[in-house]
């Protein structure tokens, strides 16, 4: 595993490392799950699940050096394998893997400034977590309450002085089980169906939802918008 270096100090490089390790772990817990399950023998010593920058995964003993070169994954995942259902065990490994991926990314980003750390987390947060992939969860948009004119919880945040202010709605604000009943959401620009793998943004005026790419809004840009108006609403206001 690589340590901190000048070639791995930028946001893009660290995110590339994160994405590769994440892809490897997801493969271990989904496509290669039988092989992974077999390697986690409870009769063996403490084992860890590693995801490597070349998108390969490995079940192995923890690093011997103290402190380790990088933060270590959860120790002893094999001991719980036969004490719970396979689904619950895989979910547990997935949660710990998410924690490890974030810790490695921010360890590698120790020299980043505040804005760079924020951008790195935003890039990481755009992708579903390992836990969400393994448990087949998907992000859904918050729906305003029928008996209230207030914005959904996703549309409110606190300012530095503690006062609440309205903010645009983001489609990745909450998560529900895949089998929950929700009406289909279509992009107000291209008409495409909602997908949890893409960034969406909701208009604060007409409350229609759009692919971020369709209205040329990125997650980073959305953070700086106090109130979002879609192109049609912006044109109406200008008339």
């Amino acid at each position: 595993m690589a340590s901190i270096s000048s070639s791995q100090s930028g946001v893009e490089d660290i995110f590339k490392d994160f994405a590769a390790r994440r892809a490897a772990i997801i493969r271990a817990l989904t496509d290669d799950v039988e092989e992974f399950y077999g390697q986690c023998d409870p009769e063996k010593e403490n084992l860890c699940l590693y995801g490597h920058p070349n998108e390969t995964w490995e079940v192995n003993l923890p690093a011997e050096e103290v402190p380790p070169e990088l933060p270590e994954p959860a120790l002893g995942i094999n001991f719980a394998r036969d004490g719970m259902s396979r689904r619950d065990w895989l979910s547990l490994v997935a949660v710990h893997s998410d924690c490890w991926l974030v810790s490695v990314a921010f360890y590698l980003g120790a020299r980043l400034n505040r804005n760079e750390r924020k951008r790195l987390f935003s890039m990481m947060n755009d992708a579903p977590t390992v836990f969400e992939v393994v448990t087949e969860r998907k992000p859904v948009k918050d729906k305003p309450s029928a008996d209230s004119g207030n914005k959904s919880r996703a549309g409110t945040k606190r300012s530095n002085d503690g006062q609440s202010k309205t903010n645009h709605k983001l489609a990745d604000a909450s998560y529900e089980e895949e089998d929950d009943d929700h009406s289909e959401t279509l992009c107000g620009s291209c008409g495409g169906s909602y997908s949890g793998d893409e960034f969406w943004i909701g208009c604060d005026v007409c409350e229609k939802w759009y692919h971020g790419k369709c209205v040329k809004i990125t997650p980073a840009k959305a953070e700086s918008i106090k109130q979002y108006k879609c192109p049609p609403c912006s044109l109406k206001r200008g008339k």
Side-chain angles (χ1 to χ4, degrees):
M1 292 180 286
S3 58
I4 299 178
S5 65
S6 58
S7 64
Q8 212 170 17
S9 59
V11 172
E12 287 74 17
D13 289 330
I14 296 172
F15 177 73
K16 183 178 179 180
D17 180 273
F18 164 84
R21 294 178 190 273
R22 172 182 171 274
I25 290 175
I26 288 176
R27 184 177 299 112
L29 300 179
T30 55
D31 294 343
D32 300 342
V33 67
E34 294 300 330
E35 181 183 354
F36 169 68
Y37 190 86
Q39 290 189 27
C40 293
D41 185 350
E43 297 299 321
K44 296 181 179 179
E45 297 182 39
N46 289 293
L47 295 175
C48 301
L49 171 60
Y50 294 94
H52 297 303
N54 62 357
E55 298 192 15
T56 62
W57 60 271
E58 176 186 18
V59 173
N60 208 338
L61 297 171
E64 294 183 1
E65 66 267 25
V66 178
E69 188 177 9
L70 286 179
E72 285 289 289
L75 181 67
I77 57 172
N78 53 313
F79 293 149
R81 192 195 72 176
D82 295 345
M84 55 201 308
S85 71
R86 177 183 290 208
R87 180 181 177 84
D88 289 343
W89 177 69
L90 291 173
S91 298
L92 180 65
V93 175
V95 169
H96 282 293
S97 296
D98 281 319
C99 294
W100 178 67
L101 288 169
V102 172
S103 67
V104 169
F106 277 78
Y107 179 85
L108 295 175
R111 297 189 178 95
L112 298 178
N113 60 37
R114 178 180 178 181
N115 290 334
E116 289 172 331
R117 290 195 305 271
K118 184 177 181 179
R119 184 157 68 93
L120 173 61
F121 182 77
S122 178
M123 293 169 68
M124 293 163 58
N125 201 40
D126 279 344
T129 63
V130 176
F131 176 76
E132 289 161 1
V133 173
V134 171
T135 59
E136 299 180 340
R137 293 190 174 211
K138 66 177 182 180
V140 297
K141 67 168 188 158
D142 281 354
K143 291 184 178 293
S145 173
D147 57 357
S148 171
N150 296 330
K151 294 288 184 183
S152 63
R153 249 178 287 173
T156 302
K157 69 178 182 179
R158 294 277 173 181
S159 60
N160 291 334
D161 61 3
Q163 297 298 312
S164 177
K165 61 181 181 180
T166 301
N167 193 18
H168 56 282
K169 298 168 291 181
L170 302 182
D172 57 356
S174 67
Y175 298 85
E176 292 190 12
E177 294 293 342
E178 187 170 6
D179 57 359
D180 282 355
D181 183 23
H182 287 278
S183 59
E184 185 179 31
T185 302
L186 301 178
C187 175
S189 178
C190 71
S193 298
Y194 174 76
S195 170
D197 296 328
E198 299 176 294
F199 172 73
W200 283 58
I201 187 168
C203 176
D204 286 297
V205 179
C206 67
E207 298 192 346
K208 289 183 180 179
W209 289 84
Y210 296 83
H211 288 107
K213 62 185 180 182
C214 288
V215 290
K216 295 181 172 57
I217 298 292
T218 63
K221 185 177 180 180
E223 288 293 329
S224 63
I225 301 174
K226 182 178 180 181
Q227 185 181 48
Y228 177 68
K229 295 187 180 74
C230 66
C233 289
S234 296
L235 289 175
K236 289 178 182 178
R237 186 175 180 82
K239 290 181 179 181

